[in-house]
Amino acid sequence: MRDPYVVLGVQKGASAAEVKKAFRRAAKQHHPDQNQKDPKAAGRFAEINSAYEILGDSSKRAQFDRGEIDGEGKPKSSGFGSGGFGSGGFNAGGASAEDLFRQFRNMGGGRAGASPQGAPDASDIFGRMFGDTAQRARGEPQRPKPQPGADATVTMTLTLEEIAAGEPKRIRLPMGRDIEVAIPHNLRDGQTVRLRGQGYSSPTGGETGDTMLTMRIAPHDLFAVDGADLRTRVAVSLADAVLGGPVIVPTLGGGVEMAIPAMTSSGRTFRLRGKGLPQKAGTGDLYAVIDITLPESDPELTALMRHRKD
């Protein structure tokens, strides 16, 4: 993985707020839902999430800055430099596998398997350092390729208010680490998103698995979801229904005033544009259904209705 600072486009001295702002901007720009025709969008989106997992955590960020972990959060192993091996001046640059093996044999006493004064077998050292190349040079069968880590499954439940706000939500993965996930537009209940590289680590040194994130929409007391649109019911008194006038309609942003015409029947539906859920282009609508409510007791209304019936 690339340097997480490069992935998010921030300097090493950037503040936590600047890092978070850069993550949100990048996640929105490269979200797979926004780039459905780009097959590489999902990979970039996963890379952005992985980068923020490092830089968004002060402890991991400090470890990365000190060179203790790499861009995937894995500990760095101390290897050999490019200049040589120990005081013997071993130099791997430009040498073939056979040449390298020959140099290691000489270091071990002139023959494979020699171990003067308790020194480790040179061919064993060679095999541990160069793996399959050493095995091919010695005519040995190759080791099996490392297996990737297992995928994880997570369910994230979102309220309608959270979906409307569109802010990334922080969740905890089964492995114990926390990440922030951007909420996609046109979210559907039960929608599954693949977070690449956010699964379980491979026990054999292979690639890290993915996390399959299933998004659920929490039930709401006032609203029913219909795609990007919402539906709600509004109680109206008989007098307001007959005479018309303003009524208060609930929305995700609070109650708004709406005027209904005179002689409005129960069940009539009114549309409030842009009061639904975010979608790729704009926002859905809110449909308000009128419910006429009658008083428990109203002698004048009862007498009027009897008079009209007679």
Side-chain angles (χ1 to χ4, degrees):
M1 177 184 165
R2 293 187 296 159
D3 186 325
Y5 287 102
V6 176
V7 174
L8 296 185
V10 296
Q11 300 295 323
K12 284 195 173 182
S15 66
E18 290 172 332
V19 170
K20 188 172 186 178
K21 183 178 180 181
F23 162 70
R24 291 178 174 176
R25 181 174 60 248
K28 182 177 181 180
Q29 178 183 355
H30 296 289
H31 198 285
D33 285 350
Q34 296 280 60
N35 304 272
Q36 293 189 356
K37 296 183 179 180
D38 184 355
K40 297 182 179 180
R44 288 196 297 268
F45 184 70
E47 188 177 45
I48 290 166
N49 274 298
S50 297
Y52 187 68
E53 182 187 347
I54 300 294
L55 301 187
D57 185 309
S58 59
S59 177
K60 290 183 180 179
R61 181 177 180 180
Q63 287 181 297
F64 178 80
D65 290 344
R66 293 193 299 267
E68 297 173 1
I69 60 175
D70 61 17
E72 294 183 352
K74 298 178 180 178
K76 287 187 175 180
S77 59
S78 57
F80 298 103
S82 59
F85 178 81
S87 59
F90 170 75
N91 190 349
S96 67
E98 291 79 4
D99 292 336
L100 294 175
F101 185 57
R102 191 178 301 114
Q103 293 185 50
F104 267 95
R105 286 199 310 174
N106 293 337
M107 290 169 58
R111 62 183 180 84
S115 179
Q117 297 181 358
D121 179 9
S123 62
D124 290 341
I125 297 175
F126 192 97
R128 289 195 297 271
M129 288 181 59
F130 295 96
D132 293 343
T133 303
Q135 290 177 306
R136 286 194 296 269
R138 297 196 300 267
E140 298 176 4
Q142 299 181 32
R143 295 190 181 97
K145 292 183 178 180
Q147 297 299 311
D151 291 343
T153 56
V154 178
T155 299
M156 179 175 69
T157 302
L158 298 161
T159 66
L160 293 181
E161 287 79 5
E162 288 175 326
I163 297 172
E167 296 291 332
K169 184 171 181 179
R170 197 166 188 85
I171 63 170
R172 171 152 293 190
L173 300 180
M175 295 71 70
R177 64 176 181 267
D178 294 339
I179 64 171
E180 279 198 346
V181 178
I183 300 175
H185 298 306
N186 280 19
L187 176 65
R188 298 293 182 269
D189 185 48
Q191 180 176 337
T192 299
V193 176
R194 178 184 293 272
L195 303 179
R196 298 192 180 277
Q198 298 294 335
Y200 291 99
S201 299
S202 168
T204 58
E207 295 184 355
T208 303
D210 302 331
T211 286
M212 305 303 295
L213 175 64
T214 300
M215 298 186 176
R216 292 291 184 184
I217 300 176
H220 201 283
D221 293 336
L222 298 177
F223 305 103
V225 180
D226 183 9
D229 298 328
L230 298 176
R231 295 185 178 275
T232 189
R233 306 192 75 88
V234 181
V236 175
S237 69
L238 179 61
D240 288 336
V242 172
L243 301 176
V247 296
I248 301 300
V249 179
T251 73
L252 290 175
V256 297
E257 189 176 273
M258 178 186 73
I260 61 172
M263 305 303 294
T264 294
S265 301
S266 187
R268 185 170 178 179
T269 302
F270 296 88
R271 180 168 65 176
L272 283 74
R273 297 184 183 274
K275 297 298 183 181
L277 298 175
Q279 52 185 347
K280 291 181 180 178
T283 308
D285 301 325
L286 171 65
Y287 291 87
V289 182
I290 299 300
D291 282 337
I292 296 177
T293 60
L294 297 176
E296 293 184 2
S297 177
D298 189 331
E300 293 183 1
L301 178 59
T302 302
L304 175 61
M305 293 300 102
R306 284 175 177 170
H307 175 73
R308 291 181 61 86
K309 185 176 181 181
D310 294 339

